[in-house]
Amino acid sequence: MTETSQSSHPSFARPQRVAFVQSSWHRGIVAPCWESFRTEIAARHVDPSQVDLFEVPGSFEIPLHVQVLAKTRRYTAIVTAGLVVDNGVRSYVADTVINALMDVQLRTEIPVFSAVVAPDEFRDTDDGADFLRKHFAQKGLEVAAACAETLLSLERLRGQVAAGIV
């Protein structure tokens, strides 16, 4: 995990609420993303009680859940995590998920972040799973940073728009 202190990150003007939508397919491999995300987003001034975890069967099911959550207007951001493995449709599923997430984000103006991973090769071995667990742990840190920084940027931008500066 990161050794970042909360004081080194800017605070939000308003409380943030984040949804985390995670695929339960290969849960043991994907779960470190949630764990490291939770720790890092708290270090970035998002109260852990304001971060909700949702599980879906697979990555293909993520976009619909993201859309429903975005339409509630309850969340200021939505983060996703999943593993897409090659069963002949890896590229199709990964592209479909990412395109759908971008569509939801643009239509709703709720930022959506993806830690949906589609490795070129998936080795269902202890070493392969360990490598991917570490990769997902790192992705959790990265997606938390992207989420917090984007929310701060949007908060500033929306304030400027409201003030007539932009």
Side-chain angles (χ1 to χ4, degrees):
M1 301 306 144
T2 178
E3 302 251 340
T4 311
S5 71
Q6 281 192 335
S7 61
S8 67
H9 296 292
S11 295
F12 295 96
R14 295 185 183 98
Q16 303 297 311
R17 186 162 192 97
V18 178
F20 192 100
V21 181
Q22 173 179 293
S23 167
S24 61
W25 187 259
H26 295 289
R27 180 184 289 123
I29 294 173
V30 178
C33 187
W34 161 246
E35 294 159 8
S36 61
F37 173 84
R38 213 173 34 181
T39 300
E40 183 65 17
I41 203 72
R44 291 172 177 272
H45 305 289
V46 176
D47 188 313
S49 70
Q50 298 299 303
V51 181
D52 298 329
L53 174 65
F54 299 89
E55 278 197 323
V56 298
S59 295
F60 199 74
E61 291 77 29
I62 290 173
L64 179 58
H65 283 72
V66 167
Q67 180 172 284
V68 170
L69 291 168
K71 283 182 175 181
T72 70
R73 309 306 287 178
R74 181 175 186 189
Y75 297 98
T76 54
I78 302 170
V79 177
T80 65
L83 176 63
V84 180
V85 297
D86 192 4
N87 61 2
V89 295
R90 179 187 61 85
S91 178
Y92 169 77
V93 171
D95 290 349
T96 299
V97 170
I98 296 304
N99 289 335
L101 295 177
M102 180 59 73
D103 183 56
V104 170
Q105 171 175 258
L106 293 175
R107 278 187 296 102
T108 64
E109 295 185 8
I110 304 292
V112 178
F113 302 90
S114 175
V116 174
V117 174
D120 288 334
E121 290 184 30
F122 174 69
R123 293 188 184 104
D124 200 2
T125 63
D126 289 343
D127 287 345
D130 189 48
F131 172 82
L132 284 171
R133 275 191 289 277
K134 290 176 184 170
H135 183 70
F136 271 105
Q138 182 61 38
K139 294 303 275 179
L141 298 174
E142 293 168 1
V143 77
C147 179
E149 291 166 18
T150 300
L151 287 172
L152 284 165
S153 177
L154 286 171
E155 192 175 69
R156 282 191 300 272
L157 178 61
R158 288 176 176 140
Q160 292 171 339
V161 168
I165 298 169
V166 174

